[in-house]
Amino acid sequence: MEVIKEKKKMREWSRAQRKAGESVALVPTMGFLHAGHLSLITEAKQRSTKVVVSIYVNPTQFAPGEDLSTYPRDLEGDLHKLKSLDVDVVFNPYDLYAHNGPEETPDVAKEAGSKKRNLPERWSTAAEQEEKKSQVADLQDSLEENLKPNGGMAVANMHDENKGRHETWIRVERLEKPLCGQNRPIFFRGVVTVVAKLFNIVEPDVAVFGKKDYQQWRVLCRMAQDLDFAVEIIGCPLLREEDGLAMSSRNVRLSDTERQQALSISRSLKEIEALVKMGEVDANLLVKCIIEKITAAGGKVDYAKIVEQDTLREVDKIKVPVVAAVAAHFGSVRLIDNVELQPPS
Ligand code: AMP
């Protein structure tokens, strides 16, 4: 298994493989891998002869105040797991948004310990620190600007000719708005942009995503279609722990009590799934069930919605295939989960 850090080297590897008649699958991740991630790799192996797994905690999908600095990381452990799965390449890039200067490894320890700012200091030499600090502060201000109702216009502020900052963003205008997009207005902009960058660097034939992040999968399918990426997008089933909790890198940050409380999400989804099978089609009633159960357990519901599977439009009655999607906070940890539902026959 090869670990590649440079964009150029990654692209060269991929092109050489394709020239040799191989096909390449990409599994994008933010690391701290669990069985859910590994199931995507198994699927990728079925669909191509070579598999690239990317590990990159993408800073642009985190808003100020979100958990970029505390996002769990364990590169060594991840590499160990990937090696045993016989992955061909781990793409663990340097800062994907830096155009000028040497590509350097972000200092993860410094990021995790950084209390002052949510954005990491990812430059190494002391001489550059002050300048870089001001760049980070500007970026932070710009991201904050984007959280305002008219956010997005401020993106232009992120550009500075001299400093070579990133200024190009992809937005999937309608599909990014509901569900997670409501309270995380820059999240999908960051996700879609980084995935497009990964597609351009790795040039995969196939890319594999989990339906655990249901809206993300839909948004990325739309982006690939709208922008004519020659990449087949695959969506894989959501994997759960034995007790039903949806597997997530963030689960490790739950206390024992919070973890028990968090089971209310999967239990509420299971309950409404049974109700639908028995003929219940009233979406508002089912959503009420979910909210009540999670709230009673001590969770704070961000949203609970029943939406059409392909359009993500909210429904009143379940007449077409839908997905019940939930986001809830337990302590400082925000979890998402969902279940696909068919209309009762
Ligand atoms: P992340 O590292 O959280 O960005 O996730 C990387 C990929 O793994 C995404 O496509 C996720 O949807 C997928 N994934 C995360 N958790 C699960 C899960 N429990 N089951 C299936 N796929 C998952």
Side-chain angles (χ1 to χ4, degrees), residues 18-272:
R18 304 225 294 186
K19 206 166 172 192
E22 309 283 359
S23 56
V24 176
L26 170 66
V27 182
T29 80
M30 297 209 297
F32 209 74
L33 303 177
H34 51 67
H37 294 114
L38 305 187
S39 71
L40 308 186
I41 295 166
T42 308
E43 181 64 28
K45 291 186 130 201
Q46 310 278 321
R47 299 196 175 252
S48 66
T49 57
K50 299 284 173 188
V51 174
V52 177
V53 175
S54 63
I55 298 181
Y56 182 65
V57 181
N58 174 38
T60 66
Q61 68 194 60
F62 292 82
E66 291 184 349
D67 58 349
L68 173 63
S69 62
T70 55
Y71 195 84
R73 300 165 205 244
D74 176 20
L75 184 59
E76 211 176 303
D78 289 345
L79 294 178
H80 191 70
K81 286 175 190 156
L82 295 173
K83 207 165 185 183
S84 69
L85 280 185
D86 216 10
V87 162
D88 297 283
V89 166
V90 178
F91 181 46
N92 177 223
Y94 302 117
D95 186 345
L96 280 179
Y97 298 88
H99 302 302
N100 293 347
E103 288 186 306
E104 288 165 13
T105 312
D107 187 336
V108 171
K110 222 187 274 171
E111 271 177 40
S114 164
K115 294 213 169 59
K116 257 172 93 190
R117 301 192 191 285
N118 296 305
L119 291 172
E121 290 175 0
R122 46 180 73 248
W123 298 275
S124 67
T125 68
E128 287 176 327
Q129 285 299 320
E130 284 311 306
E131 171 61 5
K132 299 302 180 187
K133 261 187 196 166
S134 96
Q135 287 186 20
V136 171
D138 288 353
L139 179 62
Q140 180 105 346
D141 290 347
S142 185
L143 286 170
E144 266 156 20
E145 199 46 41
N146 272 277
L147 287 176
K148 293 175 184 169
N150 192 23
M153 297 313 290
V155 166
N157 295 346
M158 295 179 75
H159 178 60
D160 179 323
E161 294 276 351
N162 300 321
K163 294 170 187 166
R165 271 178 229 156
H166 188 88
E167 69 164 323
T168 305
W169 302 100
I170 302 174
R171 302 209 81 136
V172 179
E173 291 186 354
R174 196 186 57 73
L175 279 178
E176 71 163 31
K177 288 219 165 62
L179 308 177
C180 287
Q182 287 261 294
N183 284 333
R184 304 189 74 192
I186 60 162
F187 173 68
F188 287 113
R189 184 192 76 170
V191 168
V192 174
T193 302
V194 83
V195 169
K197 284 162 79 64
L198 288 169
F199 284 1
N200 282 328
I201 295 164
V202 179
E203 298 183 343
D205 300 283
V206 179
V208 185
F209 298 91
K211 290 204 246 174
K212 149 86 169 26
D213 300 83
Y214 198 90
Q215 185 178 14
Q216 173 176 289
W217 167 58
R218 287 291 185 202
V219 163
L220 291 170
C221 288
R222 168 62 63 184
M223 179 275 280
Q225 193 181 15
D226 286 354
L227 297 184
D228 297 302
F229 275 101
V231 182
E232 187 188 357
I233 309 282
I234 310 294
C236 290
L238 185 161
L239 251 69
R240 298 180 180 282
E241 303 288 355
E242 256 176 36
D243 57 10
L245 185 69
M247 288 182 183
S248 164
S249 304
R250 289 185 168 101
N251 290 349
V252 73
R253 292 183 45 228
L254 294 165
S255 68
D256 289 348
T257 310
E258 286 161 355
R259 199 186 175 296
Q260 280 309 307
Q261 295 173 332
L263 291 175
S264 59
I265 305 183
S266 51
R267 285 181 182 151
S268 68
L269 291 175
K270 219 164 175 191
E271 199 171 298
I272 67 147

